[in-house]
Amino acid sequence: MQRSSLWKAGLAALAFAASAAVASAQTAQDDGEKEIERYRAMISDPMANPGFLAVDRGEALWSQKRGTKNASLETCDLGEGAGKLEGAYAKLPRFFADADKVMDIEQRLLWCMDKIQGLDTADVIRRRFSGPGRASDMEDLVAFIANKSSNMKIEPQLSHPKEKEMAALGEAVFHMRAGQYDYSCSSCHGESGKRIRLQGLPDLSRPGKPPQEAMGSWPTYRVSQSALRTMQHRMWDCFRQQRLAEPAYASEVVTALHAYLNKQAAGGELVVPSIKR
């Protein structure tokens, strides 16, 4: 056989091997995702989801009297009226006239703790995310409040000029490239078909099912972290992975991203707390 023929045969063999390897890897990824989904289905019952322990703790905190005013949060207005929780989370972030700003759930809770309870929130913020031997009032409260909107539709609030401005700011941040890797949110979530390890990455740049499913599943119990996590934590972790400066807790940039993503997820169903790997 001539050398050129051998060369062509070798190239064909290499191409076939590469194609087979890619197909095998794709099959392994698909099988992995199926097993993950099967595991989630097995523990989707509230009695098997540890996230509901956070819901119970949050309910106790909601009615607990604290702060210099010895008051509970039961008169806190989350947008639907003082103390009304049903459907409130599904419409956050939103504009609050008494604070003259658009707030997400964490911002509003901190505001109510200060104004209604007279509570020094420094310790609450210090424990913003739970860890070994460290509980988080905010994670528990968010789990409790969000659960009151479970099985309801996400309804982004965009009627007030400041709500529109906040969603527009969130869109700009979503596409802003920065940090050591020159990444943006859209680097991972700007098109379909992307993965990180076995995990599929939803395309959040277009309205529809992917953002609906993503935003409708937070807060969630993270099995790998043995903790209930909120969207605030998800944003913080994304900034960390982009090697960006940590956003201040309950900051405007996180609220803006939340407002934009909820706009993309409009009409999606909240099923929370969910459970993830």
Side-chain angles (χ1 to χ4, degrees):
M1 185 181 291
Q2 294 183 350
R3 184 175 298 176
S4 61
S5 297
L6 288 171
W7 177 252
K8 291 178 180 178
L11 286 178
L14 284 173
F16 177 80
S19 177
V22 170
S24 178
Q26 182 65 51
T27 299
Q29 287 177 335
D30 291 343
D31 289 345
E33 284 198 354
K34 287 178 182 177
E35 286 302 306
I36 290 172
E37 289 304 317
R38 188 171 72 87
Y39 172 71
R40 287 175 180 164
M42 289 170 60
I43 55 179
S44 61
D45 188 286
M47 297 301 293
N49 183 347
F52 281 86
L53 297 175
V55 172
D56 292 341
R57 293 192 298 268
E59 183 175 13
L61 283 169
W62 179 256
S63 58
Q64 182 181 345
K65 294 182 178 180
R66 298 195 294 177
T68 58
K69 299 181 181 180
N70 192 33
S72 72
L73 289 168
E74 292 170 310
T75 59
C76 178
D77 184 357
L78 297 176
E80 296 298 290
K84 185 175 180 181
L85 301 181
E86 286 73 15
Y89 183 78
K91 298 179 182 179
L92 290 170
R94 69 188 301 166
F95 176 76
F96 290 90
D98 53 9
D100 193 31
K101 66 185 298 185
V102 175
M103 294 174 155
D104 66 1
I105 182 64
E106 283 89 353
Q107 284 180 313
R108 189 59 180 176
L109 282 171
L110 289 172
W111 189 90
C112 286
M113 288 175 180
D114 176 42
K115 304 300 181 184
I116 296 174
Q117 295 182 302
L119 184 69
D120 182 354
T121 59
D123 179 61
V124 174
I125 294 174
R126 182 180 64 81
R127 295 183 295 107
R128 59 196 179 278
F129 305 134
S130 60
R134 186 180 72 253
S136 170
D137 292 356
M138 293 300 284
E139 286 179 344
D140 292 345
L141 281 165
V142 171
F144 167 61
I145 294 165
N147 181 246
K148 293 294 185 180
S149 290
S150 201
N151 304 125
M152 297 183 184
K153 303 295 185 182
I154 297 172
E155 297 183 48
Q157 301 299 292
L158 298 168
S159 59
H160 193 280
K162 290 191 176 182
E163 292 169 341
K164 295 176 182 176
E165 290 173 8
M166 190 63 78
L169 174 61
E171 183 174 10
V173 173
F174 183 83
H175 293 287
M176 179 187 71
R177 303 180 73 95
Q180 297 176 20
Y181 295 160
D182 192 34
Y183 277 4
S184 65
C185 300
S186 59
S187 296
C188 291
H189 298 288
E191 58 184 282
S192 61
K194 289 191 172 183
R195 296 174 182 269
I196 180 168
R197 299 180 292 278
L198 285 177
Q199 187 71 27
L201 298 172
D203 180 2
L204 305 178
S205 66
R206 299 174 181 82
K209 186 176 180 180
Q212 287 175 345
E213 291 182 343
M215 298 305 290
S217 62
W218 291 86
T220 188
Y221 182 81
R222 298 297 300 267
V223 175
S224 58
Q225 300 176 24
S226 299
L228 186 288
R229 296 305 189 197
T230 64
M231 179 53 66
Q232 190 85 205
H233 185 275
R234 176 69 271 172
M235 297 291 187
W236 169 83
D237 200 34
C238 282
F239 273 69
R240 179 189 65 81
Q241 292 181 64
Q242 290 179 71
R243 301 301 189 268
L244 292 174
E246 177 183 343
Y249 185 70
S251 64
E252 185 177 81
V253 68
V254 175
T255 299
L257 279 167
H258 197 166
Y260 167 65
L261 293 175
N262 266 10
K263 178 183 176 183
Q264 304 297 85
E269 184 180 8
L270 284 161
V271 182
V272 289
S274 67
I275 191 161
K276 297 180 184 288
R277 62 173 180 80

